[in-house]
């Protein structure tokens, strides 16, 4: 399956999509970022995929909330450290 | 109080201020590396013990969280049997070329709005635990701990391109799990003609 690509902002759909995660991660230079922003303002197809990928990355980052450590861990670590010269704060 | 005591106290204070505040992050990282709560707590404790013993080598003003993650990861790797490792494909360009695959599968299955319909957290959690550690740790550092590619590369001791490749691969693996989960839940509709992608060429 192949698709028609469009060029907006001086950058084509295929290049925009190849940069989707770099863009969302803030890992591209300012000039390319601006071209992609301009492209997304005009291209519904690429904007839909950026929305999908952005939602996905937000869902992944929310996994942090599922990994809250046991409250006792800090106590356990500080107790262990006191055996090696650390002064526990009361 | 002797000068040595003053210096010792100062080191303790700086350790308390700089290192202990990252316990939740180190614990999460250890949990994601080991996939076992008890092993994770042991690893986190060992990380802090090693960090405390080597605190003099930490340069104040640099990224303490990254330093702790490096210790944690090295301890984990040192203690882990390497048998049965998967062969990794660290090819950034190959991964970049596949970015759209899962998106279009989602579109064609009518589940591109999946995030509005179900809590994908459990599926993602399962996928995260099942993937190879090398992929998982890249994803944890960048997507969950907010590292830049360069910082993650430094923490993992690999080139930036390798981090990028492993990160993208990890994301694709999670998207596959997510889409399979939606299919299992009966949400997929196989609406191939819903690609909404403009003119489709034969």
């Amino acid at each position: 399956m192949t698709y028609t690509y469009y060029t907006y902002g001086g950058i084509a759909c295929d290049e925009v999509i190849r940069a989707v995660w770099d863009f969302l991660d803030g890992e591209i230079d300012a000039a390319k970022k601006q071209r992609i922003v301009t492209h997304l303002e005009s291209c519904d197809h690429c904007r839909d995929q950026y929305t999908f990928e952005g939602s996905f990355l937000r869902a992944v980052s929310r996994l942090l909330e599922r990994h809250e450590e046991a409250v006792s861990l800090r106590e356990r670590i500080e107790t262990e450290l006191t055996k090696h010269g650390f002064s526990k704060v009361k | 109080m002797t000068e040595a005591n003053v210096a010792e106290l100062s080191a303790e204070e700086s350790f308390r201020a700089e290192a202990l505040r990252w316990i939740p992050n180190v614990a999460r990282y250890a949990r994601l590396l080991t996939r076992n709560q008890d092993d994770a707590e042991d690893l986190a404790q060992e990380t802090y013990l090693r960090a405390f013993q080597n605190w003099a080598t930490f340069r104040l003003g640099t990224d303490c969280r990254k330093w702790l993650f490096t210790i944690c990861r090295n301890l984990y790797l040192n203690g882990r049997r390497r048998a049965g490792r998967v062969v990794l494909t660290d090819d950034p360009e190959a991964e970049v070329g596949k970015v759209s695959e899962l998106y279009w599968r989602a579109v064609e299955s009518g589940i591109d709005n999946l995030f509005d319909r179900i809590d994908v957290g459990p599926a993602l959690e399962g996928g995260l635990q099942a993937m190879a550690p090398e992929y998982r740790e890249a994803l944890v550092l960048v997507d969950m701990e907010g590292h830049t590619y360069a910082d993650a590369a430094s923490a993992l001791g690999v080139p930036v391109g390798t981090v990028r490749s492993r990160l993208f691969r990890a994301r694709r693996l999670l998207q596959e799990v997510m889409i399979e989960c939606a299919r299992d839940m009966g949400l997929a509709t196989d609406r191939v003609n819903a690609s909404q992608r403009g003119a489709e060429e034969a």
Side-chain angles (χ1 to χ4, degrees):
Chain A
M1 184 183 295
T2 57
Y3 301 102
T4 299
Y5 294 114
Y6 303 96
T7 297
Y8 301 109
I11 187 169
C13 293
D14 58 338
E15 191 176 350
V16 169
I17 295 306
R18 287 172 64 83
V20 59
W21 280 338
D22 291 325
F23 177 87
L24 291 169
D25 290 335
E27 295 275 354
I28 56 174
D29 63 59
K32 188 169 185 179
K33 179 180 178 181
Q34 186 53 52
R35 283 190 292 148
I36 290 175
V37 168
T38 301
H39 184 103
L40 293 177
E41 287 172 352
S42 302
C43 183
D44 293 342
H45 308 306
C46 289
R47 194 165 55 243
D48 285 347
Q49 183 166 353
Y50 268 70
T51 299
F52 174 86
E53 305 294 353
S55 297
F56 166 72
L57 293 185
R58 282 191 293 279
V60 172
S61 69
R62 284 197 296 271
L63 287 177
L64 268 182
E65 297 163 10
R66 296 173 179 271
H67 287 273
E68 290 306 316
E69 91 289 2
V71 176
S72 61
L73 181 57
R74 183 184 176 107
E75 178 76 14
R76 176 180 163 180
I77 287 173
E78 288 199 25
T79 299
E80 182 62 22
L81 291 176
T82 58
K83 298 174 187 172
H84 298 271
F86 189 75
S87 301
K88 202 170 179 177
V89 172
K90 301 297 182 186
Chain B
M1 187 176 288
T2 66
E3 190 173 319
N5 284 338
V6 171
E8 185 180 336
L9 186 61
S10 174
E12 277 195 31
E13 287 176 342
S14 63
F15 184 81
R16 189 182 307 283
E18 293 288 328
L20 292 187
R21 68 192 179 104
W22 296 115
I23 286 177
N25 303 71
V26 171
R28 282 194 298 264
Y29 187 48
R31 176 77 174 82
L32 289 161
L33 288 175
T34 63
R35 291 180 277 184
N36 176 285
Q37 186 65 38
D38 291 338
D39 290 347
E41 293 198 2
D42 289 345
L43 179 58
Q45 177 179 309
E46 183 63 22
T47 298
Y48 270 92
L49 180 56
R50 193 65 62 90
F52 182 60
Q53 291 169 334
N54 293 281
W55 187 238
T57 68
F58 176 72
R59 287 185 299 147
L60 289 173
T62 60
D63 190 338
C64 187
R65 182 181 59 155
K66 192 166 75 175
W67 185 70
L68 291 166
F69 279 11
T70 301
I71 294 172
C72 184
R73 179 173 183 271
N74 287 340
L75 287 169
Y76 168 71
L77 291 180
N78 289 341
R80 179 178 139 216
R81 293 179 186 278
R82 307 296 291 179
R85 286 186 60 188
V86 297
V87 176
L88 303 176
T89 54
D90 292 329
D91 181 350
E93 289 313 304
E95 291 301 330
V96 166
K98 296 173 183 172
V99 164
S100 287
E101 280 183 12
L102 275 296
Y103 170 68
W104 286 107
R105 276 177 54 192
V107 169
E108 290 165 358
S109 300
I111 51 176
D112 46 314
N113 61 348
L114 188 62
F115 305 101
D116 300 328
R117 297 164 68 183
I118 61 170
D119 175 13
V120 297
L124 294 179
E125 177 71 29
L128 187 65
Q129 298 304 326
M131 73 176 60
E134 288 80 357
Y135 298 138
R136 188 169 62 248
E137 62 191 6
L139 185 128
V140 167
L141 289 176
V142 176
D143 286 350
M144 298 171 70
E145 294 293 344
H147 281 48
T148 63
Y149 295 174
D151 281 348
S154 173
L156 298 175
V158 298
V160 170
T162 300
V163 166
R164 189 165 170 263
S165 172
R166 293 180 182 178
L167 174 66
F168 289 6
R169 175 70 174 149
R171 288 173 177 174
R172 288 203 307 110
L173 289 170
L174 285 189
Q175 290 188 340
E176 285 180 9
V177 168
M178 200 175 66
I179 290 172
E180 286 307 309
C181 173
R183 288 184 188 279
D184 292 344
M185 295 175 71
L187 298 175
T189 57
D190 289 329
R191 55 182 170 102
V192 176
N193 58 353
S195 57
Q196 303 171 4
R197 185 62 185 176
E200 182 178 325
E201 298 173 2

